[in-house]
Amino acid sequence: MQTNVGLLGYGTVGAGVARIISLEDALLCQKVGWPLKLAKAVVRDLSGRRAFPAPPGLLTTDPSEVVANPDVQVVVEVMGGLEPARTLVLAALESGQHVVTANKALLAVHGREIFEKAAQSGREIFFEAAVAGAIPVIRTLKEGLAANRIQSVAGILNGTTNYILTAMSRGGATFEEALKEAQELGYAEADPTTDVEGADAAHKLILLTALAYGVLPALDDIRAEGITKLAPADFQFAEALGYVIKLLATAASNPEDGRLEVRLQPAMIPKGHLLAGVNGAMNAVMIRGHACGDIFLSGAGAGMMPTASAVVGDIVEIARLANSQSKLTKPSLGWQSLKAETVKPASDIWSRHYLRFSVHDRPGVLAAIAGALAAHNVSIAQVIQKEADPGTGQVYLVMLTHSAPVRSLKAALDDAASLEGSLGPARVIRVEEFREGR
Ligand code: NAP
Ligand code: HSE
């Protein structure tokens, strides 16, 4: 007996998967009970350079050599993008093949259709590599923590942005330099705006929300915000205030109203918090469950071998089932059906915030801004103002607020932006408190 594996894609991740299956064949055979064999790998360009050389005859440009090929039991989709990945994954499931994918965009956008197809076909779709690279967070939420009411999930889910933020907070590299390094290391998506504007981490957050709460939010519900608007001054003020800036994904059930709060934004995290120490391309997830308490998982979130580790872990698990003709009944997201619940609008969420105003250093400006905040019931916790630039007379006025609804803060900032002495809209960064009970 053997299980034949077909790859859709032989790029960074696909070559890593081929490397593990080829070089660790004895180990994997011990774990599965019989050998795994790479049958075919679909690419666009047969002459492209490969990080792990493909054996002669493995590469093809014809997806039908993998999808719906009766000699291939497991289809591994590591091509990325929405199409033709969606069509090929649906066709594979329809034809009775099991699927492993690393493609979070595909599942976040077309998850309902794909998970339904898997259930109808009685086939498995595994996606451990789609969230937080090598970290086994999917299995942890789906199986290990199944007994829990999940109170919150908070994570650093994008290696590229964490690599850039780490470099910028250390003052060692510009945004552009750090992004280029992340691309060279194979962390970034084919279109890196997906990383830096937050869509990639938002796709992962959608999947974590589905696993934790049985709710699959739409991308629009999350209103993802990336890291491109952060300025060096924000890192300096964060340091002075005792915080670190991270692109933080959170899904939480609000204990006061029971509603789901799902956000993907840069956030200031207290320096002493475990997530604040997650640097470079590392990812981490903190899960708070009513019975398990806090669970912290950390590891490589991107790159050829860490991602391949998660993909091959899924292949091993599926291979143990793949030669059985019986239909499977285990739901891929760990819930028998997804709930229709929607997430709370961002404007209704309460949070503390960091505000950086650019103003003229004139009498009454600070008082007027404080007045605009007070008029909307936003209370100030701390204020920093340094000496103004002697050339321009301009200065940053930085405030930390107490917790207030985003709606009130927005109204106050609209008023403040039009005040005499204001030089434009304030830069706003959420301050995450990691309160108990959340
Ligand atoms: P990649 O290096 O760009 O590789 C994509 C592969 O798919 C290439 O071999 C490409 O062929 C092939 N391909 C793409 N479109 C195709 C098409 N229409 N027809 C046939 N072949 C096609 O991408 P990657 O970094 O390995 O990422 C793959 C997936 O894994 C993505 O969904 C990504 O989000 C996910 N992921 C990546 C990482 C990471 O660290 N890189 C981590 C976690 C998840 P050619 O080689 O001929 O161009
Ligand atoms: N581009 C992604 C990242 C790859 O940087 O985290 C892993 O999903």
Side-chain angles (χ1 to χ4, degrees):
M1 182 151 42
Q2 71 179 24
T3 298
N4 293 332
V5 177
L7 302 180
L8 298 175
Y10 199 94
T12 303
V13 181
V17 171
R19 185 188 170 108
I20 295 179
I21 292 182
S22 305
L23 302 185
E24 307 298 341
D25 52 341
L27 173 82
L28 297 176
C29 185
Q30 285 289 315
K31 301 211 171 175
V32 176
W34 53 84
L36 296 180
K37 181 170 177 284
L38 275 181
K40 281 284 172 189
V42 181
V43 294
R44 280 175 297 212
D45 174 8
L46 292 173
S47 64
R49 281 193 61 211
R50 307 291 162 195
F52 179 74
L58 184 76
L59 299 185
T60 173
T61 54
D62 178 4
S64 73
E65 292 203 49
V66 167
V67 173
N69 176 348
D71 291 334
V72 173
Q73 289 86 43
V74 184
V75 173
V76 178
E77 188 277 299
V78 282
M79 63 178 12
L82 298 182
E83 286 292 357
R86 169 184 159 274
T87 304
L88 294 173
V89 164
L90 290 171
L93 292 167
E94 176 80 41
S95 79
Q97 293 170 306
H98 298 283
V99 173
V100 174
T101 179
N103 190 338
K104 52 272 167 169
L106 177 69
L107 295 181
V109 176
H110 296 298
R112 247 171 230 285
E113 183 185 23
I114 290 171
F115 292 122
E116 268 173 35
K117 176 64 77 183
Q120 281 162 13
S121 311
R123 299 288 100 179
E124 201 45 278
I125 176 153
F126 279 3
F127 54 100
E128 190 63 74
V131 182
I135 304 172
V137 63
I138 306 292
R139 254 180 216 100
T140 300
L141 275 167
K142 197 162 119 177
E143 291 162 17
L145 302 182
N148 284 268
R149 276 183 278 112
I150 302 297
Q151 291 161 330
S152 61
V153 180
I156 295 170
L157 302 179
N158 183 272
T160 301
T161 46
N162 206 39
Y163 189 88
I164 295 170
L165 292 178
T166 304
M168 289 179 79
S169 64
R170 290 176 178 163
T174 62
F175 179 91
E176 289 74 19
E177 286 164 351
L179 172 59
K180 190 160 171 284
E181 282 170 20
Q183 286 176 299
E184 283 163 5
L185 290 164
Y187 304 146
E189 297 300 307
D191 171 6
T193 54
T194 313
D195 295 298
V196 298
E197 296 295 357
D200 177 76
H203 290 144
K204 295 166 182 169
L205 176 59
I206 287 170
L207 295 174
L208 289 186
T209 306
L211 288 152
Y213 297 103
V215 173
L216 193 73
L219 190 54
D220 285 350
D221 294 341
I222 296 180
R223 306 246 305 268
E225 185 189 331
I227 63 166
T228 51
K229 295 195 188 101
L230 295 170
D234 298 318
F235 293 90
Q236 288 153 17
F237 283 117
E239 166 72 24
L241 290 161
Y243 294 99
V244 172
I245 302 176
K246 295 290 180 190
L247 184 60
L248 189 69
T250 50
S253 161
N254 185 307
E256 277 103 46
D257 60 14
R259 297 202 63 193
L260 212 50
E261 298 181 356
V262 185
R263 292 180 283 180
L264 187 275
Q265 307 172 283
M268 291 202 180
I269 297 177
K271 269 185 198 168
H273 192 273
L274 279 173
L275 286 169
V278 176
N279 288 316
M282 299 297 267
N283 282 195
V285 185
M286 182 163 259
I287 304 166
R288 185 170 288 173
H290 86 283
C292 65
D294 281 346
I295 304 281
F296 183 72
L297 302 166
S298 167
M304 174 173 160
M305 296 310 285
T307 311
S309 159
V311 173
V312 178
D314 279 352
I315 296 173
V316 165
E317 192 165 346
I318 284 196
R320 293 172 175 147
L321 317 164
N323 291 41
S324 145
Q325 289 311 307
S326 57
K327 295 217 164 187
L328 303 167
T329 51
K330 228 168 78 175
S332 301
L333 284 167
W335 297 79
Q336 291 300 335
S337 60
L338 289 173
K339 299 175 206 158
E341 188 182 333
T342 53
V343 306
K344 195 163 166 173
S347 53
D348 288 355
I349 295 176
W350 285 64
S351 181
R352 297 190 74 182
H353 287 93
Y354 153 97
L355 313 174
R356 175 169 56 79
F357 300 91
S358 292
V359 297
H360 285 298
D361 190 15
R362 289 189 199 135
V365 173
L366 191 159
I369 290 178
L373 290 164
H376 291 278
N377 241 351
V378 179
S379 174
I380 300 163
Q382 280 193 57
V383 179
I384 302 179
Q385 186 185 322
K386 302 229 166 106
E387 289 293 330
D389 181 322
T392 61
Q394 293 174 9
V395 71
Y396 288 138
L397 178 58
V398 168
M399 296 181 180
L400 280 193
T401 72
H402 288 293
S403 193
V406 169
R407 183 190 308 283
S408 308
L409 181 73
K410 279 209 165 117
L413 293 179
D414 284 348
D415 291 354
S418 56
L419 289 171
E420 178 72 31
S422 164
L423 290 166
R427 178 71 199 127
V428 183
I429 302 177
R430 175 162 70 100
V431 176
E432 183 56 63
E433 299 170 294
F434 299 103
R435 273 185 288 146
E436 284 301 317
R438 301 294 299 272

